[in-house]
Amino acid sequence: MAGLKKFIAKSAGQPYNWLMYSIQNIVEYYDELFPVTTAQKKFYDGLVKNYADPVKILSIECGTGVFESILAREGFDVTGIESHAELLHAANMRKRNQLMSIHFFQMDYLDMSRFLGKGFYNIISILDDRIMMIYDEMLLGKFFKDVRTLMTDGGSFVISLPNFDIMKQGIPMQQLPTRSSLRASLFTELWTAEGEHCTIKQNLETGNGKLLPVLEDEKAYPLKSAQIRGFAQEAGFSSVELFADFDKQAFTGQEDSLVAVLKA
């Protein structure tokens, strides 16, 4: 798989420099910047009712695993995969000495169809804006197909991300919505250049005003609602529902965020 990554980087005309981030700077603040809301819990309560126990759930790029631990405590069979070792370590520390059906693995999304059970999961999720780091249309197409392969018939695939439909054309830098807590703020800039990949620059400002880098010139893809529908159709999903948030407010295309539910 390392060879595939080098090939992809070379074919994009970029040097192979896979680690251009300082993820460790966000670990302490991750749970408060990406909180599990009451609306999110209620949203998933509605989803799991559609499946027989034990409901099998896969979380892609699960971060520190706080939501996955909540789901496991409800009695669901939960798997979380995370590409960053620093975040995965926090997830594994959370589940220590807890008798729950939950497993965390360090795994890239490119590898999941090789190592995870096909046709096994009832609900698959990629939340907290992480899908935008799948930076290429070819890789996104593969990703949607791999998700469908891992999912049971009638399963649900949930995506949460910024609403890139409102992104203005021809502007080199656009600020994505800031995430803030009492102790920190996360600032995200999307940079675009003609004929090149979009890139993300992300900085964390702590309560004492210290600015810490999280991502620097990391490739990203501003996935829009129409493209989600297109990838879903190509991958064999039967339907797509779009919401503005986990409260299931109607998505008009003008909101800051987007929650998509794809049905297998």
Side-chain angles (χ1 to χ4, degrees), residues 61-258:
E61 301 293 8
C62 64
T64 58
V66 60
F67 185 45
E68 292 67 32
S69 295
I70 291 171
L71 293 171
R73 284 196 293 270
E74 294 294 323
F76 308 124
D77 184 342
V78 181
T79 300
I81 64 172
E82 171 57 54
S83 55
H84 298 301
E86 298 90 342
L87 295 173
L88 187 71
H89 175 72
N92 278 313
M93 290 295 292
R94 188 186 306 280
K95 77 179 183 70
R96 181 175 292 179
N97 297 326
Q98 296 184 23
L99 298 177
M100 301 183 298
S101 181
I102 185 168
H103 307 279
F104 292 114
F105 302 102
Q106 185 172 0
M107 188 181 300
D108 192 277
Y109 67 88
L110 290 170
D111 296 328
M112 62 186 188
S113 64
R114 294 176 55 202
F115 297 111
L116 300 178
K118 294 178 173 58
F120 182 77
Y121 299 98
N122 303 119
I123 300 173
I124 299 179
S125 307
I126 182 166
L127 307 179
D128 299 335
D129 311 340
R130 297 290 294 274
I131 195 170
M132 68 181 180
M133 305 313 297
I134 305 176
Y135 61 85
D136 180 87
E137 282 192 24
M138 178 188 71
L139 295 177
L140 277 164
K142 178 185 184 312
F143 175 72
F144 276 79
K145 290 175 182 176
D146 287 349
V147 168
R148 179 62 187 90
T149 298
L150 296 173
M151 182 177 291
T152 59
D153 291 337
S156 301
F157 177 33
V158 183
I159 307 168
S160 69
L161 71 163
N163 175 23
F164 290 110
D165 290 9
I166 60 176
M167 190 173 69
K168 297 178 181 178
Q169 301 296 317
I171 299 177
M173 191 281 286
Q174 298 186 61
Q175 188 84 38
L176 299 186
T178 300
R179 290 183 174 270
S180 296
S181 71
L182 291 176
R183 299 194 304 148
S185 294
L186 183 65
F187 301 99
T188 304
E189 298 173 353
L190 180 68
W191 289 82
T192 57
E194 187 175 352
E196 297 181 7
H197 284 284
C198 294
T199 58
I200 287 286
K201 181 178 181 180
Q202 203 168 61
N203 290 297
L204 180 80
E205 184 177 11
T206 63
N208 61 10
K210 187 175 183 179
L211 201 63
L212 302 173
V214 178
L215 297 173
E216 182 67 33
D217 297 331
E218 186 78 0
K219 291 178 185 177
Y221 192 95
L223 183 64
K224 298 182 179 181
S225 60
Q227 293 171 311
I228 291 175
R229 293 187 183 277
F231 284 123
Q233 184 177 16
E234 291 175 6
F237 287 92
S238 63
S239 67
V240 177
E241 286 186 284
L242 302 179
F243 305 102
D245 49 36
F246 283 115
D247 282 316
K248 292 190 174 181
Q249 297 294 317
F251 179 76
T252 68
Q254 299 304 311
E255 296 78 17
D256 286 336
S257 60
L258 168 62

